[in-house]
Amino acid sequence: MSLRIVPADNHSSSFSHIADRTPGAPSAPGLHDTIRAGVGPSPYDSTLTQPKPASAHPLEARLKAWESTQSALRMETLRRACGMAEPIRRGMELKITRDGEWRPMALAGSATPSVHEEILAGRDDMITWEDVFTGEEARVPVPVHDEMERKLKI
């Protein structure tokens, strides 16, 4: 395990629109078909562990990996200083906090991390862009009673 401070450089040094995963337009196979492929990432390709950035710029991909790299550095430092018990205990507490808390959608639901999770992750003193703009602003609010009925399967 290394004590990496900055995320690894995983981007390729060249880009070609012809060697794309999508075959392209039927009439011109070398051209990107925006109507069929869409603009930006597909909501069906998203992963919960590592979200893909919306653009292909290498700096954005490294910024997305910044927090996970810092967390891995913190856990490795704890492992070297205190032994294996401390990182395992902190990981268990974080998992219990993530799995055990439920908030209704009227209170931003699970889109934002809880106060407990932020304290355990060491982010309780920061305000980020995602804390203010959660992406749920345009969504129609779900009544609390309907959500409780769905959660309790009534």
Side-chain angles (χ1 to χ4, degrees), residues 96-146:
I96 290 169
T97 303
R98 284 181 182 154
D99 294 345
E101 184 162 323
W102 177 81
R103 284 183 289 168
M105 295 298 283
L107 299 174
S110 61
T112 58
S114 67
V115 175
H116 309 307
E117 185 178 341
E118 286 186 349
I119 290 171
L120 289 173
R123 293 186 315 252
D124 56 334
D125 59 343
M126 290 187 277
I127 297 176
T128 60
W129 181 267
E130 289 80 18
D131 291 334
V132 179
F133 299 106
T134 60
E136 303 289 323
E137 291 84 17
R139 190 179 53 84
V140 178
V142 178
V144 177
H145 298 292
D146 293 345

Side-chain angles (χ1 to χ4, degrees), residues 28-112:
L31 295 177
H32 176 72
D33 193 2
T34 307
I35 295 175
R36 286 189 178 84
V39 178
S42 171
Y44 303 110
D45 294 340
S46 65
T47 59
L48 296 175
T49 57
Q50 183 72 19
K52 294 180 182 177
S55 73
H57 197 276
L59 178 60
E60 186 172 359
R62 289 185 79 179
L63 286 176
K64 291 283 185 184
W66 175 262
E67 191 170 322
S68 63
T69 305
Q70 292 300 312
S71 174
L73 173 67
R74 230 179 288 120
M75 291 301 157
E76 179 65 18
T77 306
L78 279 172
R79 186 189 69 77
R80 289 182 179 195
C82 303
M84 283 301 294
E86 186 64 22
I88 291 172
R89 183 184 65 84
R90 288 187 186 215
M92 285 175 28
E93 286 179 354
L94 193 58
K95 184 179 183 324
I96 290 169
T97 303
R98 284 181 182 154
D99 294 345
E101 184 162 323
W102 177 81
R103 284 183 289 168
M105 295 298 283
L107 299 174
S110 61
T112 58

